[in-house]
Amino acid sequence: MTMKPSDLNERQRDKGDIIRPEQPKISSKKSWWERIGQPALATVIVSSFIAVAIYFAKNGNQTAGLTSQEQMQTGSEETVIAEKQTESEQLAEQPLPETVTVKVADGNGDSIAFKMILVKKGKFTMGARTRHDSVNEIEFPTREITLTKDYYIAETEVTQRLWRVLTGKSPSIFKNDNGPVEGIMWNEAVGFTERLSELTGRRFRLPTEAEWEYAARGGHKGGNHVYSGSDNPDDVAWYYRTSKIYTHSVKTKAPNELGIYDMSGNVSEYCSDFYAPYDSTDLVDPKGPSVGNKKVVRGGDYYSDKEYVTNSSRWDVDLREQEKNYCNYIAGVRLVMDTGNTENSSQ
């Protein structure tokens, strides 16, 4: 008798047999991923974690162990900025030259060189320090001045030859190529500094009154003298008693502590400030009033008594009346140069 599958199932149930579904055959051969891919991936992951752990253990999560070039190659923006800041700090720390020689020439082959002397920033007491310094009440009271920037000031007053090379003119009464230029007005002095700035690419200007007095007193090397470089005017100044009432060649008296000549006597020197009386207020980088009709003149001249060639001596010239003012014939120019762009100068 032939059995049907259904009959077989019934018989198996009757015997208590458990009927299981037919199971697929399982191959004993592993795939490529199981044999190679999975172990390789695990190895890469473990190796990466180990490498990262070793890197941070050695470097402390910083790039301190790298050279500057390697840091830049990482593309780290912070590294590039830090290096630029370091370069800027190094440039700022480089000392300025103590002297700078400037050369200028006209279109006819005539040339001349002059020296500028570094005045380092500092503090000083401005004004007449005792009543013995001066008979001029506008030099009182004293006040403490702070100058926050270095600057260069000319070793001598502008000579007649330098004026002629730049302007083609010779306005002075006392003709002498090596003597200080005079016979000029304040606005002509300013025009001269502007012309010189154009020719050289540096910024020349008139000194502020505070810059003038600080340099006259010897600046950061100052010796606290009554006159510029001495307590005896005969040592450093061409004034009424020694000049025979005319100007003399520059650098024929002794210099002050900075190596600057003739800040006492010879010719008076224009400043950039409008005139104002002193008060006792301490100031930082003062430039005088912003408006006015009178400009400050400093230093005294060949026609002054000794009381008027002191470091604190000051008076004013009225710009509205300057064409007929005798000050034109006793006042000259001393240049100031800002500290930038000195690298191409002879030293």
Side-chain angles (χ1 to χ4, degrees), residues 1-159:
M1 179 175 88
T2 303
M3 281 189 173
K4 298 177 182 179
S6 57
D7 295 335
L8 179 62
N9 291 340
E10 288 176 1
R11 290 181 64 183
Q12 290 173 335
R13 280 196 296 271
D14 290 341
K15 292 181 178 182
D17 294 338
I18 297 174
I19 305 301
R20 302 179 188 279
E22 193 171 323
Q23 299 295 321
K25 293 181 178 180
I26 300 174
S27 174
S28 61
K29 186 179 181 180
K30 294 184 179 181
S31 68
W32 176 89
W33 173 251
E34 293 174 308
R35 288 184 294 106
I36 300 175
Q38 288 179 343
L41 177 61
T43 301
V44 170
I45 293 173
V46 172
S47 299
S48 298
F49 276 112
I50 292 172
V52 170
I54 292 173
Y55 174 83
F56 282 110
K58 288 183 176 180
N59 295 278
N61 201 25
Q62 296 180 359
T63 59
L66 300 178
T67 65
S68 297
Q69 185 176 1
E70 288 170 339
Q71 290 179 18
M72 292 180 68
Q73 289 174 348
T74 65
S76 169
E77 186 173 339
E78 292 181 359
T79 299
V80 174
I81 293 172
E83 289 197 352
K84 287 182 178 179
Q85 289 174 340
T86 300
E87 291 173 2
S88 298
E89 291 171 358
Q90 290 174 348
L91 289 173
E93 292 172 358
Q94 291 179 354
L96 292 166
E98 292 291 327
T99 62
V100 173
T101 299
V102 181
K103 299 176 182 178
V104 294
D106 63 10
N108 301 317
D110 191 9
S111 63
I112 187 172
F114 59 94
K115 186 181 292 185
M116 304 295 294
I117 294 178
L118 178 65
V119 184
K120 295 181 181 180
K121 61 188 176 183
K123 298 181 179 181
F124 75 106
T125 301
M126 186 173 182
R129 299 179 182 183
T130 71
R131 292 287 165 175
H132 296 290
D133 281 356
S134 174
V135 295
N136 193 340
E137 290 298 320
I138 65 173
E139 299 170 34
F140 297 97
T142 60
R143 63 261 190 88
E144 295 302 308
I145 300 296
T146 301
L147 298 178
T148 64
K149 297 179 181 179
D150 301 338
Y151 59 98
Y152 287 93
I153 195 164
E155 179 187 39
T156 72
E157 295 150 334
V158 170
T159 64

Side-chain angles (χ1 to χ4, degrees), residues 225-282:
H225 295 300
V226 176
Y227 307 95
S228 185
S230 177
D231 289 325
N232 181 357
D234 292 7
D235 294 339
V236 293
W238 292 113
Y239 67 109
Y240 185 83
R241 197 177 76 84
T242 60
S243 70
K244 299 182 180 179
I245 321 300
Y246 62 87
T247 63
H248 292 256
S249 295
V250 299
K251 296 180 66 171
T252 50
K253 288 286 187 178
N256 74 357
E257 295 84 355
L258 288 172
I260 305 171
Y261 295 84
D262 300 308
M263 293 200 81
S264 291
N266 219 2
V267 292
S268 303
E269 299 171 9
Y270 289 121
C271 293
S272 61
D273 306 46
F274 284 109
Y275 170 79
Y278 285 167
D279 59 37
S280 57
T281 304
D282 296 343

